[in-house]
Amino acid sequence: MHARLSGGRLGIGALAIAALATSAGLAHAATAPSDLSAHGGATRLDGDQSAAVRRAVVGGHAKNVILFIGDGMGDSEITVARNYAEGAAGEFAGIDALPLTGQYTTYSLTKDTGLPDYVPDSAATGSAWSTGTKTYDNAISVNLAGEPQQTLLELAKANGLKTGDVTTAEIQDATPAVQIAHISLRSCYGPDQTSTTCPEAALENGGLGSITEQLLDTRPDVTLGGGSATFAQRAKAGDWQGQTLTEQALDRGYRMVSDESGLEQVTRADQDAPLLGLFASGNLPVRYVGPAATVGGAKLAAQKCTDNPDRPATQPTLAEMTEKAIDLLDNPDGFFLQVEGASIDKQDHAANACGQIGETVDLDEAVQVAMAYAKEHGDTTVFVTADHAHSSQIIEVGSTSPGLSVTLTTADGAPMAVNYGTAPQGGSQQHTGSQLRVAGFGPGAANTVGLTDQTDLYFTIRNALNLVDDPANGSDDGTVRVTPASAKPGARVTISVRGFDGDRAVAIDVRGPESDFADRELSGGVTQAVITPRKKGTYAVTVTGRTTGHTAKDTFRVR
């Protein structure tokens, strides 16, 4: 008997080959600065890209998804950093290497009216991709009514995947928080803030607790970032009342590390011993420092960024945290990992061009780590995007601007003026409302192409990982039907599986005069297999959910 298996062992092999075939990405012409003035000297393409794009479009499902967020990383921020670090004709080896690219809208909603808020914050935008639900600024994974919305990390964990949450910010900050918490205001980091600012969420009032307390409850396998200061606060209710959050974490089996050396020594992270790495009391110090943006700065002499002397040598880089998280999460059942470069936004707020450039370079190096893993394994999808646009703009060198500006010397040896114009000197530069780049590599990444919305990314990742809502009971109504019930030898017989909504895959077992067995991935609880039995007799077909263990049976005859 021959089973045509688009989602079983053969399908997985084909998918791996297809994914590996995209590893070279799209072809780009190598251009030296001296060649830019030649006819075609500034082109980026190397021949027709049609075949390369077709190879990059990989269907089916991914075992792993790694999502990168450059906080505040609009197209302008990418261009500023690329010009400085790689030159105008250069490219980032990570951020610019993903072959499938689109744009998405990022607006949030006004809490009272439900109308669009065109300039969103990181809490509302993060909630959008994390839950698939638009919400109001400052809200963490709740809808307009304040009701918790299940996050991708929670859903992945419920489906048996390992999970991770990595950031260069405090781990309680908006972007990492949207995967592990549900609260009305993003500032409710610990019990102290929550009791006064988000009292409905306070444990002593019967709520879910502060962001940090919810993190400990959600229990990702790997959590890395800053924010150790909040762990000195004490729980005001519950099983750990009166204990610090550090004491609670240790009592609940978390392994805590505070520097690169400690991180290197960790060889295991799972639900028995989740890893909690806290490498700063607040946000992690950035890579570069440099001249301040000032009124008239576009007229001043160009300068270079320098290494930040306040960045400790003991602090792991974002690339190192990403590599370690992938290593610890890698397992046969798959994983979901979110990684944030947080201080593109934070340094943009401060009109600090060198700070935001260094953070973008750090993010690019982390993306390179993930892309190397994805290309090697062939079953991993990588997404790179941002939460909202920001204020930095490249303006004419020597021009007069009412905003704050600074002139830097780029990798080309040319001056570049960067301007900030959404707040006066000493104020916080504001977000802007532009659509953003979203790019992908691997199974399901083609769903980023064109114009989508931030909420689409939730469904793109959910579908790529083939996550189901109710893995415990969702397949109780699962059935199998074999058609036709009676067939001639060598005729096609179709096995139709439906209602296995709690499973990502099923095992199909055919027993009779001939026997066959295959694993098949599900999409929406549904799959099919076609077989061609040649020997006469009665056959029994048993379908078993790989997660739930639910079974369904049917029979057919070959006459």
Side-chain angles (χ1 to χ4, degrees), residues 127-464:
S127 297
W129 77 68
S130 176
T131 71
T133 303
K134 290 277 189 187
T135 192
Y136 60 93
D137 287 357
N138 290 309
I140 298 292
S141 295
V142 296
N143 62 15
L144 292 181
E147 298 165 332
Q149 306 292 292
Q150 187 178 45
T151 73
L152 280 169
L153 188 147
E154 291 170 332
L155 186 60
K157 187 179 177 189
N159 277 260
L161 279 69
K162 295 183 75 172
T163 59
D165 201 359
V166 175
T167 182
T168 57
E170 296 165 296
I171 61 172
Q172 305 88 353
D173 203 12
T175 301
V178 298
Q179 294 292 355
I180 52 85
H182 309 272
I183 204 161
S184 59
L185 291 172
R186 58 184 288 180
S187 61
C188 295
Y189 279 18
D192 294 346
Q193 300 97 325
T194 304
S195 294
T196 56
T197 308
C198 309
E200 78 288 345
L203 286 180
E204 63 268 27
N205 297 326
L208 296 174
S210 65
I211 292 172
T212 307
E213 289 167 307
Q214 291 188 53
L215 164 66
L216 296 177
D217 288 340
T218 303
R219 207 172 176 88
D221 297 286
V222 175
T223 305
L224 304 175
S228 63
T230 299
F231 281 79
Q233 294 184 30
R234 296 181 182 274
K236 298 185 178 183
D239 293 341
W240 290 273
Q241 182 175 359
Q243 295 186 39
T244 67
L245 301 185
T246 296
E247 292 169 337
Q248 180 182 155
L250 293 172
D251 191 51
R252 298 179 73 169
Y254 282 85
R255 177 169 181 176
M256 300 185 69
V257 298
S258 59
D259 56 25
E260 182 181 14
S261 175
L263 183 63
E264 289 175 348
Q265 294 174 34
V266 179
T267 59
R268 169 194 163 202
D270 52 30
Q271 289 303 287
D272 291 332
L275 174 62
L276 180 56
L278 302 173
F279 306 111
S281 60
N283 303 313
L284 274 59
V286 296
R287 182 176 192 147
Y288 292 149
V289 294
T294 60
V295 175
K299 296 178 179 291
L300 300 178
Q303 299 183 58
K304 295 287 289 185
C305 302
T306 58
D307 291 338
N308 182 4
D310 295 327
R311 190 185 205 188
T314 57
Q315 173 185 306
T317 66
L318 186 59
E320 290 168 339
M321 289 193 288
T322 301
E323 184 173 28
K324 191 65 174 183
I326 292 172
D327 179 59
L328 293 171
L329 294 175
D330 188 14
N331 77 100
D333 295 323
F335 66 82
F336 170 69
L337 170 64
Q338 178 178 291
V339 179
E340 180 200 23
S343 286
I344 303 168
D345 167 84
K346 299 181 189 304
Q347 300 304 311
D348 220 326
H349 278 299
N352 181 357
C354 286
Q356 77 182 53
I357 288 169
E359 188 78 351
T360 309
V361 172
D362 278 355
L363 180 67
D364 177 69
E365 291 175 351
V367 174
Q368 291 180 51
V369 170
M371 287 292 286
Y373 176 88
K375 291 174 182 179
E376 178 184 354
H377 289 78
D379 56 5
T380 299
T381 301
V382 178
F383 295 101
V384 178
T385 189
D387 50 357
H388 54 76
H390 223 302
S391 56
S392 63
Q393 294 288 325
I394 301 171
I395 64 171
E396 190 73 28
V397 172
S399 62
T400 299
S401 167
L404 309 178
S405 56
V406 63
T407 307
L408 301 174
T409 301
T410 71
D412 297 315
M416 174 180 67
V418 182
N419 187 72
Y420 302 86
T422 57
Q425 192 155 18
S428 177
Q429 300 298 318
Q430 297 302 297
H431 301 170
T432 56
S434 174
Q435 64 192 41
L436 297 171
R437 178 202 288 197
V438 54
F441 170 91
N447 293 295
T448 63
V449 173
L451 180 63
T452 60
D453 183 74
Q454 210 154 41
T455 52
D456 285 302
L457 186 56
Y458 165 84
F459 295 98
T460 295
I461 294 175
R462 173 194 172 119
N463 293 337

Side-chain angles (χ1 to χ4, degrees), residues 464-504:
L465 286 171
N466 200 19
L467 302 179
V468 298
D469 282 325
D470 186 5
N473 304 299
S475 294
D476 288 354
D477 296 325
T479 63
V480 59
R481 183 185 179 196
V482 182
T483 55
S486 178
K488 294 181 179 181
R492 290 160 56 93
V493 175
T494 301
I495 302 170
S496 298
V497 179
R498 295 184 178 279
F500 277 77
D501 296 320
D503 289 281
R504 302 170 70 201

